Amino acid sequence: MEAIQNLQLYELIIFIALGLAVLLFGYRIKKIAFFVAWFLLGLNLMRFLMPYINDAVPQIANDAIYQTLLPIGGGIILGAMGFSIEKLCVAGIIFVLVMMITIQYFGTEWLTLGIGAVVGVIAGGLGVQMMKPAIIIATAAVGSYALTLAILHLIPQIDPSVFYWPILIVLAVLGALFQFKNAKNVS
């Protein structure tokens, strides 16, 4: 949730539009979807790392342009990687999703992270073996994640501890079903 708390309205609208596009058309626009998914991951990773960067380099902490451009730059770098390396991208998206779930719901102890990493690597390897279904499911999950965050941000009356998983799962299933139905003849 913290990832979108500080977004401006136009950024939130772009976030929602990209989330919808990836959720519903991830396989059809897989190169763009990979870029978007990895861009969002890079953006959020850099936003997470910004306090550490600010502590290490005080000049960055005092300059608003760096505060804006560094997360965007991180997103573009990871987005470019996702655009160009399809199999690594699928494995990476699956791995990152498993790790995000591990951290968010099971904690950050070393043993927990190790188990999450092993599960993420296995799931990523399976995803590469089944590319089309994996791309559809992974892009539906990424789009669902983005939209779930947006919904919980836009409607603060919804209790995330109760409705996070139901919203995430329902959106992911609907997105995957939509993609499977509409990507039958797309290779």
Side-chain angles (χ1 to χ4, degrees), residues 98-121:
V98 168
M99 290 306 292
M100 287 170 60
I101 290 168
T102 301
I103 290 168
Q104 187 167 1
Y105 289 97
F106 301 107
T108 57
E109 294 80 32
W110 285 106
L111 182 60
T112 304
L113 292 175
I115 292 169
V118 169
V119 171
V121 167

Side-chain angles (χ1 to χ4, degrees), residues 20-40:
L20 271 172
V22 172
L23 174 74
L24 299 175
F25 305 105
Y27 189 76
R28 286 188 175 272
I29 58 169
K30 63 183 171 183
K31 291 286 189 182
I32 296 168
F34 289 156
F35 180 84
V36 169
W38 281 96
F39 176 84
L40 293 174

